């Protein structure tokens, strides 16, 4: 019988707690079932609450639960799910593979395919193993009363209770022949898993090659562009590279030799940071002035005895909000616009000077919608008012935002047209501010299409803007802070009410400002001066890129895709580390320009440093992770540590929840911080693309998770119960390990059930997005730009930290599949629920900004072999540790399961050989396109071109006849919005360094009826002609909160095009 709590000796420290553990294993086992069921009930309750909340509120918030149905380019949009509590499940299952890949990309598809692979392994395994092993382990096993009679030697034999009765260690010592079943089933799991790996990787290669050779992909610049690094000086010219690589089929289309723009890039980052600070300070100035005016008016009304009723106050607020809405629909005023921004493709094409086809291009672009994003620009209009109402209670905020924002966006496809012209005219005559007459200062209203497109080519615009340097940082007329004595804001505020900032000490611009340290300056005056200076310097540098030194890397675009892949696989230079590495399938938007100036030897040094830091993280992180495992034994520690004895008075239910749920929650919180650190280390490793960062993070993160979540947690869970027994009887180590290794699975039962229920339901409920909208938004979003960004920025998925979580769960499932087969049930539930949750999110919620083409999938599959290896190693050890009992109940010295252990050693060696062969044969096909597919790809290109031409002719006829277009039987689902010539023109600039493409940012402030904003625009223009400031399409509501109706003036739809 188990001992009572009163019989447990009280220890005074942790060491004595471990030393006094004789006989405690039985008590720990008795607790395992109750702890697990407490964790299960808690997770089910959380799951039920989150799912119910999702089902109730998902229809009220399309912006949170289905933004991909309207807030992305038209090609990526999915059809809204049918209304109803459960009807959304059907399209989640019924969406075809082709449509899913077109809308979401290969990374999202292969992540769900990866979850399906795991279900494909664990569902049949559970169906076979559970009916066989559960009876073998449980029936006739040791049970709760085994250590009695001839088996009463507690140093050798222990009772087994709770969930451990279904595990490997419950088999009696006189029934060791039962372990043949464990061996056969383990070999079966390994063979089945290896076959699934082979089959899935084979299908992966087929689908990836079909993706690489699809006409839509072959049109992109990433399909034909190669990044060549480590170029020697004698080869680092366009002429030399063209002569070297023109041996490949089709020749070269473009060459971009990278220059070291680190200094220019630093100026741009500083300029953008100061621009945001100026924007925030100006917004605060306008808001504070309005609040002061409202406060003063309220005090005057109170003194005059004029008190409004609640109805009158409500009507007044409504009137002010309507007026603010109309203000936000007006042009407002703008100054300092250099006309560098091309807001759409039409402006870019016209800017190129295609005079002979301009009229035709305008009509076609307008009617064909080259970039169909109606919500961008004017389409964001519906957001401003709704965001202002988020500051209420959560429930009230739900109702308000759902009605005033999301309902309007859903019914109008994200577009709210400007207010009626009569109201706009009336507002212009009743409000606004007229600046004083000054011939030297020009306040610009929004430019017409002709003005916006009449400049030179974008690449040359910077040089035309810069006329003078230091002398041009101010207007021709001298301006000083004292000139603000007649400023409008002074009517309502004092100078001490303006925003101030601390300058970094010693002039270190990279250092953050520290409170009470550094010179205190007025934010607006300081930022104006610095932004004007930086704008002049940046635009002059952009106009003279040749003064920057060349780097040892270049982007080379070939005319044919097969040439790019051949160039990557060829040995280019006769010296090692020269003209290598070479990378293909690089998207212009995915390039990490900060890493382009890193040399090969610097990259190696960075890699070594990063690896050392990661090893240090793994070791250092073991302390808090071990603590979470120790919490699962808190009741045992409360009985052995005197300073924890007060926990024995805690109700058993609460203690069970603490042991079952709290460790998993703390572990989850610890793991939230880790991806941020690993991604930062991977980026500083020197890899050139975001895709390479994600692949590096995937490898680092899985290794970290496996060590911390499995190895460290398993040891810390077991160590508190076995160290005392090992210290008391060292010769019993084999028996203790054989019995306690399966017991570590109890921790993972709770961990998996928490992941399966709580985390999957949280992914559906979008807890992070709700927190962002209803907590972070009201607290942090003070400017129109921040509100716009929160509305436009959809949740993203960083695959490098997504795959490893499920790979680690699968590895744990493999390890315990035979040792503690109940874990298979939780694996199936976990992967099944996550498949539903993330398929819904992929279709309706998540925005995929970059795509590796599924390259993380084979890495994840190869990492699964770690789970197989540890399962085999664990079974080898357990088979060797199995002992028989003689007639007196004493353990014998023979090894009855030695044959099983030897067979498992052979299987382990065969598994290693299998993985090596699998990797050697499949790895070259993961990234590169075989030459044998080129002929078929060219044929499909011709069919695609004919279909696109037919679709264009149908559109022209439809335009002339004023009727809907007809596809003429062609599959137009995958047709491109850009012609090859248009795409090629955009690509010319896309692979230039981001420092050359950076544009002057606009300081976007809200317009008010007091005229403070208009006056600030005027005074900023007087201070310098080289600061772009605007109060267009934004205003203040009745509570002096910012509302807006369009995208920022410096936003361009062209930036959204995937080249």
């Amino acid at each position: 019988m188990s001992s009572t709590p009163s019989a447990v000796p009280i220890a005074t420290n942790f060491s004595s707690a471990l030393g006094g553990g004789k006989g405690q294993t039985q008590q720990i086992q008795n607790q395992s079932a109750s702890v697990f069921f407490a964790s299960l009930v808690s997770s089910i309750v959380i799951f039920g609450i989150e799912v119910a909340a999702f089902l109730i509120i998902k229809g009220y918030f399309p912006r949170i639960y289905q933004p991909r149905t309207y807030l992305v380019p038209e090609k990526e949009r999915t059809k809204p799910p049918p209304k109803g509590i459960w009807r959304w499940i059907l399209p989640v299952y019924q969406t075809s593979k082709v449509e899913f890949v077109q809308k979401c990309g290969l990374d999202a598809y292969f992540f769900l395919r990866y979850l399906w692979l795991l279900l494909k392994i664990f569902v049949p395994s559970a169906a076979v193993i559970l009916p066989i092993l559960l009876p073998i382990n449980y029936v006739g096993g040791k049970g709760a009363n085994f250590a009695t009679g001839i088996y009463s030697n507690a140093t050798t034999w222990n009772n087994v209770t709770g969930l451990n009765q279904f595990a490997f260690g419950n088999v009696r010592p006189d029934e060791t022949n039962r372990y043949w079943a464990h061996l056969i089933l383990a070999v079966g799991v390994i063979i089945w898993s290896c076959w699934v790996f082979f089959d899935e990787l084979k299908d992966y290669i087929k689908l990836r090659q079909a993706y690489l050779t699809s006409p839509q992909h072959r049109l992109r610049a990433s399909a034909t562009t190669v990044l060549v690094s480590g170029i020697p000086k004698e080869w680092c010219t366009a002429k030399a590279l063209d002569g070297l690589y023109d041996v490949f089929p089709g020749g070269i289309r473009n060459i971009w030799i990278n220059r070291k723009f680190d200094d220019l890039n630093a100026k741009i980052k500083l300029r953008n940071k100061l621009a945001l600070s100026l924007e925030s300070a100006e917004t605060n100035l306008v808001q504070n002035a309005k609040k002061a005016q409202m406060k003063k008016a309220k005090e005057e009304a109170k003194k005059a005895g004029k008190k409004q009723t609640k109805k009158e106050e409500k009507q007044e607020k409504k009137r002010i909000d309507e007026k603010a809405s109309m203000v936000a629909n007006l042009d407002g005023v703008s100054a300092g616009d250099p006309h560098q921004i091309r807001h759409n493709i039409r402006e870019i094409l016209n800017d190129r000077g295609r005079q002979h086809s301009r009229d035709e291009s305008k009509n076609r672009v307008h009617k064909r919608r080259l970039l169909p994003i109606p919500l961008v620009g004017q389409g964001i209009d519906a957001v401003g008012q709704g965001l202002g109402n988020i500051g209420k209670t959560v429930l009230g905020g739900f109702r308000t935002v759902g009605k005033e924002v999301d309902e309007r966006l859903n019914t109008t496809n994200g577009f709210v047209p400007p207010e009626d012209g009569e109201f706009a005219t009336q507002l212009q005559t009743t409000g606004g501010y007229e600046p004083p007459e000054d011939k030297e200062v020009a306040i610009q209203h929004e430019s017409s299409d002709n003005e916006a497109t009449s400049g030179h080519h974008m690449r040359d615009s910077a040089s035309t803007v810069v006329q003078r340097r230091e002398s041009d940082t101010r207007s021709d007329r001298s301006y000083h802070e004292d000139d603000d004595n007649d400023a409008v804001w002074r009517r309502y505020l004092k100078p001490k009410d303006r925003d101030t900032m601390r300058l970094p000490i010693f002039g270190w611009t990279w250092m953050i400002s520290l409170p009470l340290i550094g010179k205190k300056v007025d934010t607006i005056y300081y930022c104006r001066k610095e932004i004007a200076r930086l704008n002049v310097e940046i635009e002059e540098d952009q106009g003279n890129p040749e003064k920057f030194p060349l780097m040892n890397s270049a982007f080379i675009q070939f005319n044919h895709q097969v040439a790019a892949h051949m160039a990557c696989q060829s040995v280019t230079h006769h010296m090692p580390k020269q003209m290598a590495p070479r990378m293909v399938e690089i998207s212009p938007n995915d390039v990490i320009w900060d890493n382009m100036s890193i040399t090969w030897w610097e990259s190696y040094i960075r890699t070594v440093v990063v690896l050392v830091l990661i090893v240090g993280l793994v070791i250092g992180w073991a302390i808090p992770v071990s603590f979470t495992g120790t919490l699962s034994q808190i009741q045992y520690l409360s009985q052995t540590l005197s300073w924890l004895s007060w926990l024995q008075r805690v109700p058993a239910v609460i203690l069970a929840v603490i042991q079952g749920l709290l460790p998993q929650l703390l572990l989850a919180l610890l793991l939230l911080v880790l991806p941020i650190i690993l991604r930062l280390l991977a980026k500083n490793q020197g890899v050139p693309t975001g895709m390479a960062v994600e692949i590096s993070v995937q490898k680092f993160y899985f290794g970290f998770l496996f060590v911390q979540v499995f190895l460290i947690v398993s040891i810390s869970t077991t160590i508190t119960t076995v160290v005392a027994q090992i210290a008391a009887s060292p010769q019993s180590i084999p028996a203790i390990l054989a019995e306690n290794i399966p017991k570590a699975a109890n921790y993972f039962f709770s961990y998996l059930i928490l992941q399966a229920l709580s985390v999957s339901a949280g992914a559906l409920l979008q807890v992070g997005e709700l927190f962002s909208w209803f907590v972070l938004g009201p607290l942090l979003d003070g400017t129109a730009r921040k509100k716009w960004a929160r509305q436009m920025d959809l949740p993203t998925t960083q695959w490098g930290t997504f795959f490893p979580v499920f790979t680690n769960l699968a590895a744990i499932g493999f390890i315990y599949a035979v040792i503690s087969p109940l874990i298979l049930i939780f694996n199936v539930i976990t992967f099944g629920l996550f498949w539903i949750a993330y398929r819904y999110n992929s279709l309706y919620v998540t925005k995929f900004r970059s795509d590796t083409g599924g390259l993380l999938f084979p890495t994840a599959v190869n990492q699964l072999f770690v789970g197989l290896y540890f399962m085999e190693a664990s079974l080898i050890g357990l088979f060797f540790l199995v002992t028989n009992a003689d007639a007196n109940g004493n353990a014998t010295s023979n090894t009855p399961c030695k044959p099983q252990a030897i067979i498992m050693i052979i299987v382990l060696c065969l598994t290693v050989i299998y993985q090596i062969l699998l990797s050697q044969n499949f790895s070259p096909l993961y990234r590169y396109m075989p030459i044998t597919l080129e002929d078929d790809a060219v044929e499909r290109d011709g069919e695609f071109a004919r279909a696109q031409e037919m679709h264009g002719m149908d559109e022209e006829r439809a335009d002339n006849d004023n009727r809907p277009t007809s596809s003429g039987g062609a599959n137009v689902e995958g047709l491109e919005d850009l012609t090859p010539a248009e795409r090629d023109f955009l690509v010319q600039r896309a692979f230039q360094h981001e420092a050359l493409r950076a544009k002057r940012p606009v300081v976007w402030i809200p317009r008010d009826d007091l005229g403070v904003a208009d006056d600030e625009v005027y005074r900023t223009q007087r201070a310098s002609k080289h600061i772009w400031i605007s109060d267009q399409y934004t205003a203040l509501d009745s509570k002096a909160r910012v509302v807006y109706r369009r995208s920022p003036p410096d936003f361009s739809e062209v930036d959204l095009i995937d080249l």
Side-chain angles (χ1 to χ4, degrees):
M1 295 180 63
S2 61
S3 30
T4 61
S6 58
V8 178
I10 300 297
T12 57
N13 54 58
F14 197 80
S15 301
S16 59
L18 296 178
K22 184 177 180 179
Q24 301 306 316
T25 302
Q26 179 180 352
Q27 189 169 2
I28 297 295
Q29 291 173 332
N30 289 333
Q31 295 293 330
S32 63
S34 63
V35 169
F36 167 74
F37 284 114
S39 177
L40 177 63
V41 171
S42 303
S43 298
I44 290 176
V45 170
I46 295 174
F47 177 81
I49 293 173
E50 290 180 331
V51 170
F54 166 75
L55 296 176
I56 292 171
I57 67 177
K58 72 178 182 66
Y60 294 97
F61 301 104
R63 168 57 186 83
I64 295 177
Y65 294 106
Q66 44 185 298
R68 283 180 56 86
T69 61
Y70 67 91
L71 206 55
V72 295
E74 194 168 329
K75 287 196 307 181
E76 300 177 15
R77 291 179 190 169
T78 54
K79 295 180 181 179
K83 295 182 179 180
I85 294 181
W86 299 106
R87 295 179 64 190
W88 58 273
I89 296 180
L90 287 178
V92 168
Y93 280 98
Q94 294 175 352
T95 302
S96 66
K97 177 174 70 175
V98 174
E99 181 182 0
F100 189 93
V101 172
Q102 287 178 347
K103 303 294 184 183
C104 305
L106 278 185
D107 280 340
Y109 171 77
F110 276 114
F111 170 71
L112 294 171
R113 181 71 177 259
Y114 183 65
L115 294 180
W116 191 257
L117 174 152
L118 297 177
L119 289 171
K120 190 175 177 180
I121 293 174
F122 285 108
V123 170
S125 298
V128 174
I129 292 176
L130 292 176
I132 297 175
L133 281 192
L134 291 185
I136 288 177
N137 292 337
Y138 182 79
V139 177
K142 294 178 181 178
N145 301 309
F146 175 70
T148 57
I150 62 173
Y151 297 107
S152 60
N153 185 358
T155 60
T156 304
W157 314 113
N158 290 313
N159 295 332
V160 179
T161 59
L163 299 178
N164 292 323
Q165 294 181 83
F166 299 97
F168 187 97
N170 195 45
V171 176
R172 294 170 63 93
D174 55 350
E175 297 284 348
T176 55
N177 59 332
R178 295 190 182 189
Y179 286 118
W180 283 106
H182 295 78
L183 173 68
I184 294 172
L185 291 174
V187 173
V189 169
I190 295 166
I191 294 174
W192 171 244
S193 300
C194 289
W195 183 87
V196 171
F197 295 162
F198 170 82
D199 186 61
E200 289 294 325
L201 289 176
K202 183 178 66 175
D203 288 346
Y204 163 77
I205 291 173
K206 289 181 181 178
L207 185 55
R208 175 165 169 81
Q209 290 177 350
Y211 165 79
L212 291 177
T213 58
S214 65
Q216 296 90 337
H217 179 74
R218 284 162 64 89
L219 281 175
R220 294 183 178 179
S222 58
T224 55
T225 303
V226 176
L227 171 62
V228 182
S229 304
I231 304 176
K233 288 184 178 180
E234 62 270 19
W235 289 100
C236 201
T237 65
K239 183 178 179 180
L241 291 173
D242 183 71
L244 179 64
Y245 283 104
D246 66 354
V247 298
F248 296 106
I252 293 175
R253 180 180 299 179
N254 292 303
I255 295 177
W256 298 271
I257 299 178
N258 298 317
R259 291 183 179 269
K260 191 171 183 178
F261 292 107
D262 291 1
D263 294 339
L264 177 58
N265 221 18
K267 291 180 182 179
I268 291 171
K269 291 179 179 179
L270 177 60
R271 189 263 308 269
N272 294 342
K273 177 183 175 182
L274 293 174
L276 292 177
S277 298
L278 177 58
E279 189 173 82
S280 178
E282 291 280 14
T283 300
N284 290 338
L285 182 71
V286 176
Q287 287 180 307
N288 292 337
K290 181 61 180 176
K291 291 176 181 178
Q293 183 264 342
M294 294 167 59
K295 181 179 179 181
K296 184 177 180 181
K298 191 173 182 180
E299 291 174 352
E300 291 177 351
K302 186 177 181 180
K303 290 180 181 179
K306 298 178 181 179
K307 186 178 180 181
Q308 290 182 322
T309 63
K310 290 185 178 180
K311 184 178 180 181
E312 290 174 339
E313 288 181 356
K314 188 176 181 180
Q315 290 176 346
E316 178 66 15
K317 287 182 179 180
K318 183 179 179 181
R319 184 189 66 81
I320 296 175
D321 287 339
E322 290 176 350
K323 184 178 179 180
S325 179
M326 288 188 288
V327 169
N329 276 294
L330 297 179
D331 285 356
V333 294
S334 176
D337 184 359
H339 300 295
Q340 296 174 336
I341 303 297
R342 302 301 181 259
H343 295 89
N344 51 54
I345 299 174
R346 173 167 55 85
E347 293 182 3
I348 289 181
L349 297 180
N350 290 343
D351 197 38
R352 193 184 184 191
R354 298 179 177 178
Q355 299 293 339
H356 63 280
S357 61
R358 176 173 296 185
D359 295 336
E360 182 182 23
S361 297
K362 283 185 178 181
N363 293 332
R364 186 169 299 177
V365 171
H366 177 70
K367 295 175 181 178
R368 185 159 61 95
R369 302 180 72 90
L370 284 177
L371 187 63
I373 313 176
L375 55 109
V376 177
Q378 294 92 339
I380 246 3
D381 301 353
V383 181
Q385 214 170 22
L387 285 179
N389 294 317
I390 293 182
K392 300 182 180 181
T393 62
V394 173
L395 185 57
F398 279 176
R399 297 194 188 104
T400 303
V401 177
K403 183 177 180 181
E404 297 190 11
V405 181
D406 287 324
E407 189 174 285
R408 295 175 68 187
L409 287 174
N410 190 44
T411 56
T412 62
N413 202 22
F415 175 72
V416 176
E419 300 291 342
D420 187 87
E422 180 180 350
F423 288 120
T425 303
Q426 178 184 358
L427 184 63
Q428 282 181 316
T429 60
T430 58
Y433 166 77
E434 293 296 332
E437 303 239 352
D438 193 328
K439 295 182 180 179
E440 298 181 10
V441 180
I443 302 297
Q444 306 164 355
H445 288 268
E446 188 178 71
S447 303
S448 64
D449 289 341
N450 292 333
E451 291 173 330
T453 59
S454 62
H456 295 288
H457 188 274
M458 287 188 301
R459 184 174 56 187
D460 304 323
S461 62
S463 60
T464 63
V465 170
V466 179
Q467 314 247 336
R468 298 185 298 274
R469 193 177 177 90
E470 294 298 335
S471 60
D472 256 6
T473 59
R474 303 182 303 274
S475 64
D476 294 338
R477 167 182 166 178
S478 178
Y479 180 84
H480 193 267
E481 298 173 10
D482 295 338
D483 292 346
D484 273 359
N485 288 332
D486 60 341
V488 177
W489 63 266
R490 287 184 178 272
R491 304 173 190 173
Y492 312 98
L493 300 173
K494 298 179 180 179
K496 65 180 182 65
D497 297 326
R498 292 165 60 93
D499 284 7
T500 58
M501 61 185 294
R502 296 275 181 178
L503 299 183
I505 58 175
F506 308 122
W508 294 337
T509 56
W510 51 268
M511 189 173 184
I512 61 173
S513 299
L514 300 174
L516 304 178
I517 299 177
K519 183 181 178 181
K520 186 177 181 181
V521 296
D522 184 283
T523 302
I524 294 176
Y525 294 144
Y526 175 79
C527 289
R528 280 178 183 171
K529 179 181 176 181
E530 288 299 302
I531 292 172
R533 177 183 63 83
L534 289 169
N535 278 338
V536 172
E537 294 179 3
I538 288 168
E539 289 164 7
E540 182 176 348
D541 290 343
Q542 288 175 331
N544 300 278
E546 65 278 355
K547 72 179 184 180
F548 293 91
L550 291 171
M551 290 191 294
N552 61 345
S553 63
F555 291 100
I556 303 176
Q557 185 184 19
F558 294 85
N559 286 306
H560 293 167
Q561 182 186 25
V562 67
H565 286 257
M566 291 172 67
C568 278
Q569 299 177 78
S570 301
V571 179
T572 305
H573 202 271
H574 58 278
M575 294 296 292
K577 303 301 178 185
Q578 301 297 313
M579 305 196 80
R582 296 176 298 278
M583 297 181 64
V584 72
E585 296 292 335
I586 295 179
S587 170
N589 298 327
D590 196 41
V591 176
I592 303 176
W593 295 101
D594 288 342
N595 290 346
M596 297 307 296
S597 61
I598 297 176
T599 59
W600 67 267
W601 56 267
E602 187 180 355
S603 177
Y604 274 77
I605 294 175
R606 286 172 176 242
T607 301
V608 172
V609 172
V610 166
L611 290 177
V612 171
L613 290 175
I614 288 176
V615 171
L617 273 176
V618 172
I619 296 173
W621 218 270
I623 298 173
V625 172
S626 297
F627 174 73
T628 66
T630 304
L631 282 179
S632 65
Q633 306 289 350
I634 193 66
Q635 184 166 358
Y636 167 65
L637 294 176
S638 69
Q639 297 171 359
T640 54
L641 293 171
S642 58
W643 53 277
L644 288 179
S645 59
W646 60 273
L647 286 173
Q648 298 181 49
R649 298 188 293 272
V650 175
V653 175
I654 297 178
L655 198 60
V657 171
I658 292 175
Q659 290 189 146
L661 192 62
L662 186 59
Q664 285 72 33
L665 289 176
L666 289 177
L667 182 61
L669 290 175
L670 283 173
L671 296 179
L672 281 177
V673 183
L674 182 63
I676 301 174
I677 300 174
L678 292 180
R679 188 162 281 104
L680 181 64
L681 290 175
K683 186 175 180 180
N684 283 279
Q685 185 180 350
V687 294
T689 65
M691 174 184 69
V693 168
E694 294 305 309
I695 294 175
S696 296
V697 170
Q698 181 188 20
K699 297 173 182 177
F700 297 154
Y701 195 39
F702 171 71
F704 196 100
L705 286 177
F706 189 77
V707 171
Q708 295 294 341
V709 177
F710 172 68
L711 290 179
I712 302 299
V713 169
S714 298
I715 293 173
S716 64
T717 300
T718 307
I719 203 70
T720 56
T721 59
V722 303
V723 167
Q725 299 178 44
I726 293 175
S729 180
Q731 71 274 14
S732 65
I733 290 177
I736 295 174
L737 290 179
E739 188 167 329
N740 284 284
I741 283 178
K743 189 166 56 181
N746 295 334
Y747 176 89
F748 295 110
F749 291 166
S750 299
Y751 181 68
L752 282 171
I753 206 65
L754 176 70
Q755 294 284 328
L757 298 178
S758 305
V759 180
S760 64
L764 269 181
L765 184 59
Q766 294 293 313
V767 177
E769 278 295 286
L770 291 174
F771 182 79
S772 172
W773 274 89
F774 295 101
V775 179
L776 296 182
L779 291 176
L780 304 179
D781 298 345
T783 66
R785 187 183 301 275
K786 290 181 179 178
K787 290 176 179 286
W788 175 85
R790 193 171 298 277
Q791 169 68 17
M792 289 297 297
D793 292 345
L794 271 60
T796 59
T797 298
Q798 295 176 311
W799 297 114
T801 50
F802 226 66
F803 273 89
V805 174
F806 299 94
T807 305
N808 190 55
L809 296 178
I812 293 172
F814 281 131
I815 294 168
Y816 287 104
V818 175
I819 297 174
S820 188
L822 280 177
I823 205 166
L824 294 172
I825 299 174
F826 308 117
N827 277 112
V828 171
I829 295 173
T830 299
F831 299 133
L833 290 178
F834 273 113
W835 186 90
I836 297 173
Y838 286 116
R839 188 167 172 88
Y840 176 89
N841 287 345
S842 297
L843 285 171
Y844 299 114
V845 179
T846 308
K847 170 68 176 177
F848 305 103
R849 288 186 171 84
S850 60
D851 196 279
T852 69
L855 288 177
L856 293 97
F857 180 82
T859 303
V861 172
N862 274 285
Q863 288 172 343
L864 289 175
F865 278 97
V866 175
L868 292 181
Y869 294 147
F870 270 81
M871 178 185 75
E872 293 162 346
S874 300
L875 287 173
I876 290 170
L878 288 171
F879 285 143
F880 274 123
L881 294 176
V882 172
T883 57
N884 278 332
D886 57 22
N888 298 321
N890 296 317
T892 60
S893 59
N894 63 341
T895 307
C897 291
K898 188 175 182 178
Q900 290 96 319
I902 294 174
I903 293 173
M904 189 55 63
I905 292 174
I906 296 173
V907 172
L908 173 61
C909 296
L910 293 176
T911 307
V912 174
I913 295 172
Y914 176 81
Q915 186 186 12
I916 293 173
L917 293 175
L918 191 70
S919 180
Q920 285 180 345
N921 287 278
F922 278 0
S923 291
L925 299 174
Y926 293 156
R927 187 178 291 271
Y928 300 115
M929 183 191 77
I931 299 176
T932 54
L933 299 178
E934 177 66 12
D935 292 339
D936 292 337
V938 172
E939 185 177 343
R940 287 197 298 273
D941 287 346
E943 295 176 357
F944 179 80
R946 288 190 294 272
Q948 184 142 335
E949 183 179 358
M950 183 181 300
H951 181 59
M953 294 172 59
D954 287 343
E955 283 192 324
E956 288 184 3
R957 286 195 294 266
D959 293 341
N960 295 330
D961 299 341
N962 241 351
R963 60 181 174 80
T965 61
S966 172
S967 63
N971 178 20
V972 300
E973 191 67 30
L975 294 182
E976 285 294 303
D977 295 318
L978 296 175
T979 66
E982 292 165 351
R983 182 177 292 275
D984 187 59
F985 176 64
L986 294 176
V987 167
Q988 295 289 331
R989 188 169 177 80
F991 277 104
Q992 289 183 356
H993 197 288
E994 65 176 358
L996 293 180
R997 293 181 281 116
K999 300 296 186 297
R1000 183 188 298 185
V1002 63
V1003 178
W1004 196 29
I1005 63 176
R1007 202 178 191 193
D1008 62 307
D1009 57 350
L1010 304 178
V1012 176
D1014 288 357
D1015 185 54
E1016 287 300 298
V1017 174
Y1018 158 74
R1019 295 182 181 280
T1020 302
Q1021 176 70 353
R1022 287 188 61 196
S1024 173
K1025 298 177 181 179
H1026 299 287
I1027 302 176
W1028 184 10
I1029 184 170
S1030 171
D1031 62 8
Q1032 296 172 328
Y1033 309 113
T1034 179
L1036 297 179
D1037 67 1
S1038 59
K1039 294 185 178 180
R1041 295 171 300 194
V1042 177
V1043 296
Y1044 66 98
R1045 284 296 179 269
R1046 295 191 185 180
S1047 300
D1050 56 357
F1051 173 76
S1052 174
E1053 294 178 356
V1054 181
D1055 296 334
L1056 301 179
I1057 301 176
D1058 188 4
L1059 297 174

